[in-house]
Amino acid sequence: MKKIQLDDCTINVIDEGEGKPILFVHGFPLDHRMWREQRTSFSSNYRVIIPDLRGFGKSGVTEGTVSMAQFADDLNKILTELKVYEPVVYCGLSMGGYIAWEFARRYPERLSGLIVCDSKALPDSDDTRQTRQHSATELRENGTDNVVFAMMPKMFGMTTRAENKKLVEEFRQMMLDANPEGMAAGQLGMADRADATTFLSDINVPTLLIGGEEDIISPVLEMQEISNKMPHAQFVEIPKAGHLAPLEKPVEVNDAIRKFIDQL
Ligand code: MLT
């Protein structure tokens, strides 16, 4: 694990392997550990870069709201600090996907390919925005317990919940241990995120969209619509996986990623 000092916080980042760089960006409220199956599989032939975003994992926490643009700017600085000059394959899940749209808008020259797993391009509805505001208050006043309790049924697909209770419990604990202020700042940033659907047709790099069949946060139909709006996109559905498809079905997800990267 390397430590990178940004202006106002320290970022922890995995930087392993050699070859074309792949930047893996975790979802909310997780950290680099959600990409462990991809880290193991890809670091033998690629340079694998996996940060803990600000507010998450072992990175520093900043108060207030952390916007998707702020996360994207952090990623750009992380790549500069790591002296990554060639374009990267950016692979983000859910919130890591929301950040991907901002990263593609701000730093198109940084990208050789884009992979978005279990995510959306539409902004929040008014109801969801309100729920996030309540959740930020709850996190600040009472910690992670109630927010994690409400999120858990949606994080994993029904197959994983029935067949891999150990994985579900491990990640429940990871979410409970997340920093409440970091989570609150991320929630408020997601609530404010822009509508990316108007920008999809401008993304010119090859794109792979991956969606778990049982994902109820980012349903496959919505991911297919994203793919239809992008000029160079393909969609792969992962059977019997939910919102955390890269952890639930790593063989299938890694296979899809490898086929996509081999074509670049
Ligand atoms: C995530 O996995 O990053 C979250 O489910 C995203 C969200 O809350 O919209």
Side-chain angles (χ1 to χ4, degrees):
M1 204 79 173
K2 291 183 179 165
K3 277 196 191 307
I4 291 182
Q5 186 59 46
L6 302 181
D7 292 344
D8 54 350
C9 89
T10 309
I11 297 290
N12 261 26
V13 57
I14 306 268
D15 179 13
E16 263 174 23
E18 282 174 23
K20 287 188 199 161
I22 314 178
L23 173 65
F24 288 99
V25 184
H26 64 79
F28 174 93
L30 305 173
D31 59 45
H32 71 276
R33 288 173 289 178
M34 68 142 287
W35 294 113
R36 63 186 179 200
E37 302 284 355
Q38 288 67 41
R39 176 182 176 183
T40 313
S41 174
F42 288 96
S43 59
S44 43
N45 325 71
Y46 294 92
R47 181 172 178 184
V48 167
I49 299 162
I50 321 179
D52 286 341
L53 294 168
R54 74 164 65 208
F56 298 93
K58 293 202 163 23
S59 287
V61 177
T62 48
E63 291 180 5
T65 298
V66 180
S67 66
M68 301 303 105
Q70 172 74 69
F71 285 129
D73 288 349
D74 287 352
L75 292 172
N76 178 50
K77 286 186 195 145
I78 291 165
L79 293 176
T80 303
E81 288 295 318
L82 294 176
K83 300 189 179 6
V84 177
Y85 302 120
E86 70 176 290
V88 301
V89 174
Y90 178 120
C91 177
L93 179 131
S94 199
M95 183 176 78
Y98 309 157
I99 301 166
W101 310 132
E102 276 303 328
F103 191 84
R105 201 196 303 263
R106 288 163 175 257
Y107 306 105
E109 72 290 349
R110 281 277 196 198
L111 290 176
S112 62
L114 188 58
I115 304 172
V116 173
C117 309
D118 299 285
S119 192
K120 299 166 190 281
L122 281 167
D124 281 349
S125 65
D126 288 345
D127 277 358
T128 308
R129 209 167 284 135
Q130 225 173 29
T131 308
R132 289 201 202 272
Q133 270 145 9
H134 288 146
S135 138
T137 308
E138 170 65 22
L139 284 160
R140 284 175 174 148
E141 288 177 358
N142 299 314
T144 56
D145 286 20
N146 290 334
V147 172
V148 171
F149 181 79
M151 285 186 76
M152 269 320 282
K154 300 188 225 153
M155 293 303 276
F156 290 95
M158 58 184 178
T159 306
T160 304
R161 290 206 306 280
E163 294 177 1
N164 197 347
K165 293 193 167 51
K166 193 165 164 257
L167 181 72
V168 174
E169 178 50 27
E170 185 190 349
F171 276 76
R172 189 180 76 87
Q173 200 53 54
M174 188 185 298
M175 289 164 68
L176 285 171
D177 292 343
N179 183 291
E181 180 53 43
M183 278 177 74
Q187 275 287 27
L188 296 175
M190 287 192 284
D192 277 354
R193 74 186 190 278
D195 181 356
T197 55
T198 52
F199 169 68
L200 294 175
S201 59
D202 295 334
I203 298 180
N204 275 317
V205 286
T207 302
L208 171 66
L209 294 148
I210 296 178
E213 178 192 23
E214 299 171 0
D215 185 353
I216 50 178
I217 298 179
S218 325
V220 287
L221 273 181
E222 215 172 308
M223 293 220 64
Q224 251 155 358
E225 275 167 30
I226 298 176
S227 165
N228 294 341
K229 289 192 176 121
M230 299 183 78
H232 309 290
Q234 49 183 299
F235 172 68
V236 172
E237 179 174 331
I238 307 294
K240 298 191 174 183
H243 189 58
L244 296 179
L247 274 166
E248 294 174 67
K249 293 285 170 202
V251 173
E252 293 80 348
V253 169
N254 289 353
D255 200 39
I257 294 177
R258 203 173 290 281
K259 278 196 188 118
F260 171 74
I261 296 181
D262 283 351
Q263 286 165 21
L264 294 177

